[in-house]
Amino acid sequence: MQVILIRHTSVDVPPGTCYGWTDVPTRDTFEQEAEITKHQLMTYGKIDTAFSSPLTRALKLAAYCGFTDARIDDRLKEMNMGDWEMQRYEDIQDPYIEEWYQDYLHLPTPHGESFQMQCQRVAAFLDELKTMDYQRVSIFAHGGVLVAAGIYGKLFSEENAWDHLVSYGGIQCIDI
């Protein structure tokens, strides 16, 4: 099965803001960005079904690309940044952040999750998807989800995964 993963378009928050599970707005350039994504997505051919994160920034792009009936799944949310949601990294006063920076792959944010935890929920979604009878599906989600799926699809290793972060509105494919 070919899985086409699409990252949402750019968001209207200050740079360096932790906005994981927060439902933030897209930028006023949404339509221009979404049109490029839609055009790129059309080059993949017929898509059997679409899935989406429940967060508006992903659902909005799914709808723009013609998938108003995308199936919502909470496992496709961005990483939960917990107590740090909507704070700029440079403004976080929690001394734990230094320890987290050293091992964000394994350490959860306070009242949130680690990247490894996000990878586990994305893997659970993809494991379930493999049991379905589709040839090609699209998933509208977030940067962290695409990175986790890239690891799952063996596009790259966990150690250098973030070097492969797809740009806003970008597309990444895996075969499962």
Side-chain angles (χ1 to χ4, degrees), residues 123-158:
F125 172 84
L126 294 170
D127 285 344
E128 184 178 315
L129 185 60
K130 284 197 298 192
T131 69
M132 299 177 188
D133 192 27
Y134 297 119
Q135 297 298 309
R136 184 177 294 124
V137 302
S138 62
I139 297 174
F140 293 84
H142 312 275
V145 172
L146 272 69
V147 170
I151 294 168
Y152 182 94
K154 300 188 183 342
L155 296 181
F156 37 79
S157 69
E158 185 179 271

Side-chain angles (χ1 to χ4, degrees), residues 104 147 156-167 172:
Y104 66 89
V147 170
F156 37 79
S157 69
E158 185 179 271
E159 292 74 35
N160 70 348
W162 289 99
D163 295 340
H164 302 277
L165 179 63
V166 172
S167 61
Q172 169 184 291

Side-chain angles (χ1 to χ4, degrees), residues 31-42:
E31 204 165 306
Q32 294 90 343
E33 293 176 57
E35 189 60 32
I36 293 167
T37 301
K38 181 179 179 179
H39 179 72
Q40 290 174 341
L41 188 56
M42 289 170 50

Side-chain angles (χ1 to χ4, degrees), residues 2-124:
Q2 183 180 39
V3 180
I4 306 164
L5 297 122
I6 305 102
R7 186 178 181 196
H8 62 79
T9 59
S10 59
V11 294
D12 194 14
V13 297
T17 300
C18 302
Y19 60 88
W21 279 22
T22 304
D23 210 1
V24 298
T26 57
R27 299 189 95 166
D28 58 5
T29 56
F30 170 78
E31 204 165 306
Q32 294 90 343
E33 293 176 57
E35 189 60 32
I36 293 167
T37 301
K38 181 179 179 179
H39 179 72
Q40 290 174 341
L41 188 56
M42 289 170 50
T43 67
Y44 288 89
K46 181 185 179 301
I47 295 172
D48 298 322
T49 193
F51 295 86
S52 180
S53 158
L55 298 173
T56 304
R57 57 192 183 267
L59 282 170
K60 186 176 178 180
L61 183 57
Y64 189 92
C65 291
F67 298 98
T68 55
D69 59 346
R71 296 164 58 182
I72 296 169
D73 196 300
D74 280 341
R75 294 173 291 184
L76 299 174
K77 282 184 176 180
E78 184 57 281
M79 191 170 115
N80 181 350
M81 297 305 291
D83 293 346
W84 299 341
E85 286 277 335
M86 295 312 295
Q87 293 186 59
R88 291 178 48 137
Y89 286 101
E90 64 188 36
D91 297 335
I92 295 171
Q93 298 298 310
D94 187 343
Y96 173 72
I97 198 166
E98 293 305 321
E99 189 177 343
W100 182 79
Y101 281 145
Q102 297 304 310
D103 193 14
Y104 66 89
L105 293 175
H106 304 101
L107 296 177
T109 59
H111 300 106
E113 65 184 338
S114 67
F115 179 64
Q116 187 174 58
M117 293 164 73
Q118 181 182 31
C119 286
Q120 290 169 348
R121 68 177 157 80
V122 171

